[in-house]
Amino acid sequence: MSTPSRTAHALVRSMRPRQWTKNLLVVAAPLAAGVRWDAATILDVLGTFVAFTLAANAIYLLNDVIDIDEDRRHPRKKLRPIASGALRPMTAVTTSAVCAGLALVLGWAIDRELAATLLVYLLIQVAYAVWLKEQPVIDLAIVTGGFLLRAIAGGVAVDVRLSQWFLLVASFGSLFMVAGKRYSELRSVGKDARTRRTLDSYSESYLRFVWSLAAAVTITAYSLWAFEISTGSGINWHAISIAPFVMGLLRYAVDVDRGLAGEPEEAVLHDPALQVIAVSWLVIFAIGVYAS
């Protein structure tokens, strides 16, 4: 493999393609609002997905450059291209800037408010990478906010009103995943590995409390939302969707409790049962939205 090919391969690996699945959250708001999926809407949502993927890639590259020393002490992260020396830090920083610029340009082309949402995401994530990741609790809030901004971006792109219940479910559902991620990291590598500074401030019992509390609020908010948007006639599909929604959270919690949710997307991709539950929930919820 030639040097340019090796560099390109290392860049793609540093952009973490498996984590691009997180950006599918941009579909959540349009789906919940029951938008009509015409060509214009599909293009806007697809463009939003690409824009957020570019923005996230910019942050991944910058973060890996900043965290190079910590990553080299991590049993898995030490294999990342920048930490292993397969990708030069300056190349990563330059590509990061290009990705950020392209994300903002694409966001502006779709909607000015989307561009503003992407800019907020980038600024917050840069602050997180440089300093705020070292602040306990704040680091949880910022990573949670990254998920939430993805969900908000989808609504902004197609100009739909974001329900307060939708925002609560998205917020605390994200916190559930983020706290579970930290819990799994603590279980798998421990504090002594010094792979993440805020792990020194957390205990397993505290993180268990956070993700348990977040799960409880998520389920409560989703249930209230489901009954609020119910039409009151015929089969209450929204209420029925509560069952697979709760089952999905409980199934994911098994991976969290075993310390296997350090990378949420991998936990989902390697759990066929969880995938079946997720698809079941999606089908039932979509029927409730579009058949009412």
Side-chain angles (χ1 to χ4, degrees):
M1 186 182 293
S2 64
T3 299
S5 297
R6 286 198 298 267
T7 300
H9 180 67
L11 274 172
V12 172
R13 285 180 54 209
S14 295
M15 292 176 183
R16 309 175 197 176
R18 286 190 176 185
Q19 297 199 22
W20 295 354
T21 54
K22 297 175 183 177
N23 302 317
L24 290 173
L25 279 170
V26 302
V27 179
L31 175 64
V35 300
R36 180 182 176 185
W37 292 93
D38 53 23
T41 298
I42 293 173
L43 284 175
D44 284 344
V45 173
L46 180 60
T48 303
F49 172 82
V50 173
F52 238 105
T53 299
L54 287 168
N57 289 345
I59 298 303
Y60 293 148
L61 290 166
L62 179 63
N63 190 67
D64 283 359
V65 171
I66 294 173
D67 283 354
I68 189 169
D69 292 331
E70 287 83 356
D71 286 352
R72 285 172 175 167
R73 292 192 289 266
H74 194 281
R76 293 185 61 186
K77 294 180 180 180
K78 67 181 181 181
L79 301 176
R80 289 177 175 174
I82 297 173
S84 66
L87 181 64
R88 295 174 56 192
M90 183 55 66
T91 301
V93 171
T94 302
T95 306
S96 173
V98 172
C99 286
L102 289 174
L104 293 174
V105 170
L106 180 56
W108 184 272
I110 296 171
D111 190 284
R112 293 182 180 182
E113 291 186 0
L114 175 59
T117 303
L118 287 162
L119 180 60
V120 169
Y121 170 81
L122 288 167
L123 291 175
I124 292 176
Q125 294 302 318
V126 169
Y128 170 81
V130 173
W131 175 55
L132 294 177
K133 68 169 61 175
E134 301 176 7
Q135 306 302 313
V137 181
I138 294 177
D139 73 313
L140 297 179
I142 289 179
V143 179
T144 296
F147 285 100
L148 180 60
L149 285 170
R150 287 172 168 86
I152 291 174
V156 168
V158 297
D159 195 24
V160 298
R161 178 180 175 273
L162 298 173
S163 161
Q164 60 181 350
W165 296 116
F166 170 80
L167 293 174
L168 277 173
V169 172
S171 298
F172 283 93
S174 298
L175 179 59
F176 166 70
M177 295 188 68
V178 173
K181 175 180 171 70
R182 292 290 183 271
Y183 179 85
S184 292
E185 289 175 350
L186 192 59
R187 284 285 304 273
S188 61
V189 301
K191 297 180 179 181
D192 295 336
R194 295 180 296 137
T195 58
R196 191 183 297 275
R197 295 179 186 177
T198 52
L199 289 183
D200 293 336
S201 303
Y202 298 137
S203 64
E204 289 188 14
S205 59
Y206 175 76
L207 290 173
R208 181 184 290 274
F209 161 73
V210 174
W211 64 261
S212 297
L213 177 64
V217 175
T218 301
I219 292 172
T220 301
Y222 182 85
S223 299
L224 292 171
W225 182 34
F227 284 110
E228 181 183 80
I229 61 179
S230 174
T231 59
S233 60
I235 300 176
N236 192 340
W237 292 102
H238 294 106
I240 293 174
S241 73
I242 295 173
F245 184 84
V246 174
M247 287 178 60
L249 259 66
L250 293 177
R251 176 75 185 195
Y252 184 79
V254 172
D255 291 330
V256 174
D257 191 54
R258 293 167 59 192
L260 302 177
E263 298 294 343
E265 64 284 349
E266 290 190 12
V268 174
L269 292 174
H270 289 89
D271 191 339
L274 181 56
Q275 294 170 24
V276 170
I277 293 171
V279 171
S280 300
W281 167 78
L282 181 61
V283 170
I284 293 171
F285 185 83
I287 292 173
V289 171
Y290 290 97
S292 59

